[in-house]
Amino acid sequence: MRITLGQLASGPDTAANLARMEEVAAAAADAGSTLAVFPEYASYEKSRVDSSFVAAAEPLDGDVVRALAAMARRHRITVVAGVIETSEEHERAYNTIVALDPTGSLVAAYRKIHLFDSQGFHESRHIRPAPDVGPVTFPLDGTVVGLLTCYDLRFPGVARALADAGAQVVLAPSSWVPGPGKTDQWDVLLRARALDNGVFVAGVSQAEPVSIGRSIVAGPLGGVLGSCGPAEDVLTVDLHLGAVTDARRQFPLAEQRRV
């Protein structure tokens, strides 16, 4: 499976963000990838989540998701991206990751479970946490792909639930807030979730200055298969899915787990 990560520098101009995603999706298709993955808040981003995110929110049949669906159809590729979805509350929206298959069909929508109410940030003031905390997956190229978002990486049970649901590849679209030690934490958490569960983990983050960039693809034994620097970038990596079987044969953690 060949995948492409689009490390964006998204801003509050949704049309410009979609145009940049279009460029990356075209490049991904030209490179032979079957999957293009974009960060959390790919369609609308600022340095802090505020009420403008709620104003930018749309239902999953709105203009943004329709544009992503058309992109997927045009390039015959699966597109995964972070959007802002309207919720049942007027003051808060959902932070949602959508997956559109090459026909443009919405095959998965994951609402962020754990909101970033840390280090002086209060995401939950304007974003509603997912009411359903069950694993969200979709099929791709004969395997199962799971979704989580950013801060969810700090909660090992999210990735574990995806692995238990059959995921061999876990995508982690993120906008990892900069700060002392944050780059090391990002690296460790992505690689740990891969190693914990014997899965590939692809973490694609927003670029500097809003985020740290440094998108990473980690293999099922925790090794780094590809990475980006802090600036806007595109990364294409081949995932050899037999490595999942090999890792789980060496370390049959799911069978040995007692707690």
Side-chain angles (χ1 to χ4, degrees), residues 2-247:
R2 179 169 293 176
I3 69 172
T4 293
L5 309 187
Q7 180 171 288
L8 306 181
S10 297
D13 185 337
T14 296
N17 297 335
L18 288 169
R20 179 58 182 143
M21 284 189 267
E22 174 73 29
E23 294 173 354
V24 174
D30 287 345
S33 293
T34 57
L35 173 65
V37 191
F38 298 101
E40 176 184 24
Y41 293 130
S43 64
Y44 184 93
E45 176 67 305
K46 294 168 70 175
S47 60
R48 284 183 178 265
V49 177
D50 58 20
S51 60
S52 70
F53 282 67
V54 183
E58 295 181 358
L60 293 182
D61 60 356
D63 290 343
V64 168
V65 175
R66 285 203 299 268
L68 293 172
M71 191 184 304
R73 285 194 301 271
R74 193 157 41 245
H75 300 294
R76 298 181 182 179
I77 194 169
T78 296
V79 171
V80 171
V83 302
I84 311 170
E85 179 194 358
T86 51
S87 83
E88 300 78 4
E89 299 180 20
H90 294 300
E91 297 82 12
R92 296 198 296 176
Y94 288 119
N95 178 345
T96 301
I97 308 300
V98 293
L100 293 307
D101 74 8
T103 72
S105 297
L106 182 68
V107 291
Y110 173 78
R111 294 165 173 169
K112 189 175 183 181
I113 294 173
H114 301 98
L115 303 182
F116 190 61
D117 288 357
S118 302
Q119 297 186 305
F121 288 78
H122 301 281
E123 189 177 23
S124 66
R125 286 180 181 169
H126 305 286
I127 301 296
R128 183 181 181 189
D132 181 355
V133 299
V136 174
T137 65
F138 64 93
L140 178 67
D141 288 355
T143 192
V144 178
V145 178
L147 299 173
L148 57 78
T149 310
C150 201
Y151 198 49
D152 289 328
L153 284 165
R154 294 185 182 272
F155 300 84
V158 180
R160 177 185 288 185
L162 291 170
D164 287 347
Q168 293 185 300
V169 179
V170 172
L171 307 179
S174 303
S175 185
W176 201 258
V177 173
K182 295 296 290 292
T183 297
D184 286 342
Q185 292 166 28
W186 166 250
D187 179 271
V188 167
L189 287 164
L190 287 166
R191 297 173 70 183
R193 297 295 83 83
L195 186 58
D196 287 348
N197 298 290
V199 296
F200 290 97
V201 175
V204 55
S205 185
Q206 292 279 357
E208 288 186 342
V210 168
S211 183
I212 64 167
R214 297 178 173 83
S215 298
I216 293 172
V217 179
L221 289 177
V224 174
L225 306 180
S227 62
C228 298
E232 193 171 27
D233 202 358
V234 177
L235 174 66
T236 296
V237 176
D238 288 322
L239 308 184
H240 300 287
L241 297 174
V244 171
T245 302
D246 291 343

